[in-house]
Amino acid sequence: MVTGSVVSPVLVGRDGEIAALRAAYERARAGRPGTVLVCGEPGIGKSRLVAAAVRELPGDPLVLSGGCLELGSEGAPYVPFVAVLRDLVRRFGRAQVAALLPPGGSALGDWLPDLGPAPARYGPTRLLEEMLTLLCRVAEARPVVVVVEDLHWADASSRELFAYLARNLADGAVLLVGTVRTGEPAAGHPNRRMLAELGRGGAVERIVLGPLEQGHVAALLAAVDGQAPDPARSARIHRRSGGNPLFVEALSNAGEAPPGDLRSLLLARIIDLPGPARDVLEALAIAGAELPDDLVREVAGESGKSAESGDRVRAAIDELSGRDLVVAREDGYAIRHDLIREAVYEALPPDRRRHMHARCAEALAGRAGGGTALAEHWTAAGEFARALPAAWDAAGLAARQNAYDEQLHLLELVLEQWEKVPDASGLVGASRTAVLEHAAAVAFAAGRSAAGVAYGTAALDELDPAAEPERVARLLGLRGRLRSRLDGTGRDDLRRAVALVPAGSADPLRSRLLSASAFTDFMAGDTGDARRHAAEALDIAERLGADALRAPALLVLAALHGLDGGHEQMRRTFAEARRTAEAAEDTHTFLTTFQWEAIDIADAGRYEEAAALAGTGQRAAERLGQGRSRGSMLAAVRAAQLCSLGRWDEALEVAGDALALAPPPLYTAYLRLATAEVTHRRGETGRFETLLRQLAEFVRHTPGAVEATSWFALLRIVHALGRDDPEAADRIVSEHLAAAEAWPPHDTARLAVLGARAQRLRRTAAPRNRRIADQTADRLGELARMLDSLPATTPVLDAHRRTFRALTSPGELPAWDDAADAWRALRNPYETAVVLAEGAVAALASNNRPGARVRLREARALATTLGAAPLLARIDDLASRGRLGDVADAPAGNGHGLTRRELDVLRVLARGRSNPQIAAELFISTNTVATHVARILTKLGVATRTEAAARAREYGLLDR
């Protein structure tokens, strides 16, 4: 049995990891802040590594620390950062910290009231921004190291703040360190998504602690035992411990036949504890956090203030400290390791556990900041009548701090216990219906749409529209918006809501409902109703002089201007909507302006500008804590533009990063659509078909998502054409001809082009079949009428129209060249290559082999650069059948081994263009340009771009 210290006084086997952490500190100290995640299994020594690494760092850094708690991790916002701020105040002094905060009142006052009263109301990012600014200002005087322990248990707000700091520490001597258990939390948990997202960031470094080698285990045992280790014993303990330092220490004095499992092994260290020491250890295990002296006494059952009671607690703590089970910290005492705490907690009999949770709650009652912990302890004690008001009050505080996830968790706690408590309404001062309404609204803010719909529906079931029309309308409007976000539906709810609020009865509410209705109308392709509802909403807002009501109406009207072809008016209206929404702190409308404007810009063929705007919006969404929701949709828009530009690797990376955050179903669908577009063009058939199956399931259950449905239908047609099955492609075209009138115009135009390709292949497969000829003629007539019915024109629509014209007038090379020029002007390399290849077919049909060669050569260069394997195979097949063997991009016979593509790059480079400018001109990625430039320098035997241009002129390589 262990009776003395079994903790090694030294850290062994971690020299490389300590060096890596100290190197990150040196970079931060030099003005390059960064983030380090220290990862490993429980007991592997993460905290000890960090403690050892930050000990005696040069430059006198300020080391601030806080830990996430398993108990109450879902309901208590900002737990570790409150501890960090308290640590800072303790070291710097209240007055000095307050002097660094905004003079008119700091949101951080909600964490520590000593810093002064917080503003009555503040935006969702103010706490984040103030914490970032505070750390950076402190770092002006001395380096700062912020350590956040146990990130795997982080509450949602702490998760968001940690990620915010990691992304935005652009300068200043600040190092952010987090410790993370490997394998926790479970797959799909938002904390795991956060850690995955951080891991993709270039400024985030991971240090993964593996098990100790046998030699290190021997060194650890020598340090624990104070004598040279027995090699055979060291080998046994290494094998049984798996190299885990905590297990090594537990086994060191456990004898030759210790209990078999880890929990029993850890409990063996406390089995002979005296009664008072066991009580104190159990009290600390129940608390789940460090406790000061007075709370330790109360929870351990030593609530008396006598000297004898105090002596017993001090003696117990001395006993536990001597066995290295408990450590003293700034704010009290805590169990040394979470694994020990968990083992002690799990070993408590249920009755004893409930009793001690009640003691802990009694001790916390009336103390500042007890909120969420108080609710959790009363719940664990089974005292629901006392847990209910505690959870309700804590939800109110979470609301003040814009901690929506934690607020929703606490409201869910209230609802779960509602039926267990007599007079629950009296205890919280609100009806169950009101709590459900709160929960639905908070779910909307937290991006939990499905939960919001469920709570809103439950509340509506308890309300009478005749008795409370405005309340029902407000709730129907909320549910409609939630459904729109969830699956593209919600129009019926919003129309019912508008009908319940006639003009003149509650105009601000009517304006909001009309704007929301216009939004869903527009998303469903109903531009007439969208225009009518948005115009009335704006009229009311103008009459009331309410900017907050103007923003959502302007959003829809801006998008409608884009559909009408009024692009300058569209840009002005979007800008006004964005400014107004930002001033009104309407985050949803603010972020949607980026999304919709980017789509309209892309429809005008300005893909680069659209991708940049979507990226700006995505970063704004991350800053506002909506990276998973609106940020994911902006990522889908951005990925689509990158696909059109031929930057496919970038598009897949953007979509993949967003998908890793597990966004809502509708946003997931758009990200998969963008991914499927690239994978099909690359010929990754298995992955593409998997994506199609996933999308088919979504579309089957979500008929209201018009844009997703249209894009999915187009991909199905593309897939059928790729399988040389024009009959299947035509069937899909036929299925969607009627619905295409409500599609986005560019999807409708693309349907016409793909339908024309299907008819061409059908005629080619059966050239003498009169029935097929009549069917294809009829279908082409339908497609032409559909294309002519599109109300406006844009450069992208014009390119589709030219392509359709070329497809329906075979053999006319000028029509094909006209289409290729249109796609080339849009800088869309894939569509350019496709049309060039189709033009080559027309050239071969008229025996114009030189014309076919020129077109195929350009098409092949584009397809090669893109990695468009199916298109490349088709081009090579055409070249082979046309006996155009010199089409392939072989060395160009220039005596230097330069390929035709390298010559193209060299000619543009010689004009003084940068890599991005070369990439833009030649429809290739910047990375590809860099590769070509490196090869050119090598082949020409020069070291610089200037020398390459001079050598090219000397050798006549610039002559066409």
Side-chain angles (χ1 to χ4, degrees), residues 590-672:
F590 173 70
L591 294 175
T592 305
T593 62
F594 290 100
Q595 176 190 330
W596 285 10
E597 185 175 359
I599 291 171
D600 282 337
I601 292 171
D603 288 347
R606 301 200 297 275
Y607 302 128
E608 190 83 50
E609 187 180 346
L613 183 63
T616 300
Q618 195 179 353
R619 289 188 292 276
E622 290 170 353
R623 177 175 58 82
L624 292 166
Q626 295 203 24
R628 176 177 169 270
S629 51
R630 303 306 299 169
S632 297
M633 192 64 210
L634 284 156
V637 173
R638 185 175 162 211
Q641 311 324 313
L642 293 170
C643 176
S644 296
L645 287 165
R647 289 154 58 179
W648 292 352
D649 286 339
E650 216 176 320
L652 291 178
E653 182 180 1
V654 168
D657 286 353
L659 282 167
L661 300 177
L666 182 62
Y667 304 162
T668 295
Y670 283 112
L671 291 162
R672 284 175 174 163

Side-chain angles (χ1 to χ4, degrees), residues 398-465:
R400 267 193 57 77
Q401 299 179 20
N402 302 295
Y404 302 120
D405 287 271
E406 293 80 3
Q407 184 186 1
L408 183 59
H409 169 74
L410 289 159
L411 291 174
E412 288 171 338
L413 200 62
V414 170
L415 289 167
E416 286 167 8
Q417 297 167 7
W418 194 271
E419 300 301 331
K420 304 171 187 175
V421 178
D423 190 26
S425 297
L427 284 172
V428 302
S431 68
R432 180 176 181 274
T433 307
V435 179
L436 286 166
E437 286 178 283
H438 274 296
V442 176
F444 183 88
R448 299 263 303 278
S449 300
V453 169
Y455 291 128
T457 301
L460 284 166
D461 288 344
E462 299 180 3
L463 293 173
D464 179 2

Side-chain angles (χ1 to χ4, degrees), residues 516-580:
S517 191
F519 182 98
T520 56
D521 293 335
F522 183 82
M523 294 299 293
D526 188 345
T527 56
D529 277 354
R531 196 181 308 276
R532 181 168 57 84
H533 289 144
E536 185 183 349
L538 185 60
D539 285 345
I540 295 172
E542 300 284 10
R543 182 161 29 89
L544 296 175
D547 278 352
L549 298 178
R550 293 177 70 242
L554 287 168
L555 168 71
V556 178
L557 291 172
L560 290 167
H561 291 324
L563 283 181
D564 295 341
H567 293 292
E568 282 308 311
Q569 189 175 7
M570 173 202 79
R571 299 296 295 271
R572 288 195 300 271
T573 309
F574 269 128
E576 186 180 1
R578 186 149 47 241
R579 284 194 304 271
T580 308

Side-chain angles (χ1 to χ4, degrees), residues 650-724:
E650 216 176 320
L652 291 178
E653 182 180 1
V654 168
D657 286 353
L659 282 167
L661 300 177
L666 182 62
Y667 304 162
T668 295
Y670 283 112
L671 291 162
R672 284 175 174 163
L673 286 161
T675 304
E677 196 77 70
V678 175
T679 54
H680 178 268
R681 292 178 178 186
R682 280 189 163 168
E684 298 172 8
T685 305
R687 186 179 178 192
F688 174 75
E689 290 180 345
T690 297
L691 287 164
L692 276 193
R693 286 193 295 272
Q694 293 169 333
L695 288 163
E697 191 67 21
F698 171 81
V699 168
R700 188 178 301 115
H701 295 99
T702 319
V706 175
E707 292 187 36
T709 302
S710 63
W711 195 351
F712 173 65
L714 295 172
L715 285 174
R716 288 178 62 212
I717 299 168
V718 164
H719 187 38
L721 293 174
R723 297 193 320 266
D724 291 324

Side-chain angles (χ1 to χ4, degrees), residues 616-882:
T616 300
Q618 195 179 353
R619 289 188 292 276
E622 290 170 353
R623 177 175 58 82
L624 292 166
Q626 295 203 24
R628 176 177 169 270
S629 51
R630 303 306 299 169
S632 297
M633 192 64 210
L634 284 156
V637 173
R638 185 175 162 211
Q641 311 324 313
L642 293 170
C643 176
S644 296
L645 287 165
R647 289 154 58 179
W648 292 352
D649 286 339
E650 216 176 320
L652 291 178
E653 182 180 1
V654 168
D657 286 353
L659 282 167
L661 300 177
L666 182 62
Y667 304 162
T668 295
Y670 283 112
L671 291 162
R672 284 175 174 163
L673 286 161
T675 304
E677 196 77 70
V678 175
T679 54
H680 178 268
R681 292 178 178 186
R682 280 189 163 168
E684 298 172 8
T685 305
R687 186 179 178 192
F688 174 75
E689 290 180 345
T690 297
L691 287 164
L692 276 193
R693 286 193 295 272
Q694 293 169 333
L695 288 163
E697 191 67 21
F698 171 81
V699 168
R700 188 178 301 115
H701 295 99
T702 319
V706 175
E707 292 187 36
T709 302
S710 63
W711 195 351
F712 173 65
L714 295 172
L715 285 174
R716 288 178 62 212
I717 299 168
V718 164
H719 187 38
L721 293 174
R723 297 193 320 266
D724 291 324
D725 190 350
E727 295 299 328
D730 183 57
R731 283 195 298 273
I732 302 168
V733 171
S734 176
E735 289 171 15
H736 293 281
L737 270 175
E741 294 179 4
W743 286 7
H746 296 87
D747 284 353
T748 305
R750 189 180 177 193
L751 177 69
V753 169
L754 292 174
R757 286 190 174 121
Q759 308 320 308
R760 201 165 183 217
L761 288 172
R762 293 178 74 202
R763 287 295 307 273
T764 301
R768 294 183 176 82
N769 188 316
R770 175 54 67 87
R771 181 178 61 83
I772 295 292
D774 291 344
Q775 287 177 354
T776 57
D778 289 344
R779 180 74 76 226
L780 287 172
E782 290 178 291
L783 295 170
R785 287 190 292 276
M786 180 182 71
L787 194 56
D788 290 341
S789 71
L790 293 176
T793 188
T794 67
V796 176
L797 281 176
D798 181 55
H800 281 303
R801 286 191 170 107
R802 294 190 197 189
T803 305
F804 184 84
R805 194 157 47 243
L807 283 162
T808 52
S809 55
E812 297 185 11
L813 274 178
W816 285 111
D817 291 342
D818 196 34
D821 286 343
W823 289 114
R824 199 182 284 111
L826 289 169
R827 294 170 56 194
N828 189 319
Y830 182 77
E831 295 294 348
T832 303
V834 169
V835 170
L836 284 168
E838 290 173 323
V841 173
L844 285 172
S846 62
N847 204 30
N848 181 354
R849 295 178 73 248
R853 179 181 288 106
V854 169
R855 289 167 180 80
L856 285 181
R857 189 171 284 159
E858 183 181 353
R860 193 180 195 283
L862 290 170
T864 301
T865 301
L866 290 168
L871 177 58
L872 190 60
R874 193 158 77 245
I875 290 167
D876 286 347
D877 180 61
L878 278 172
S880 175
R881 287 191 285 111

Side-chain angles (χ1 to χ4, degrees), residues 275-312:
R278 180 184 292 276
D279 290 341
V280 167
L281 191 65
E282 290 175 351
L284 292 171
I286 285 289
E290 59 193 77
L291 293 178
D293 280 317
D294 56 339
L295 279 182
V296 170
R297 285 199 299 273
E298 289 185 54
V299 182
E302 295 281 355
S303 56
K305 296 183 179 180
S306 66
E308 184 181 355
S309 172
D311 289 344
R312 278 198 300 270

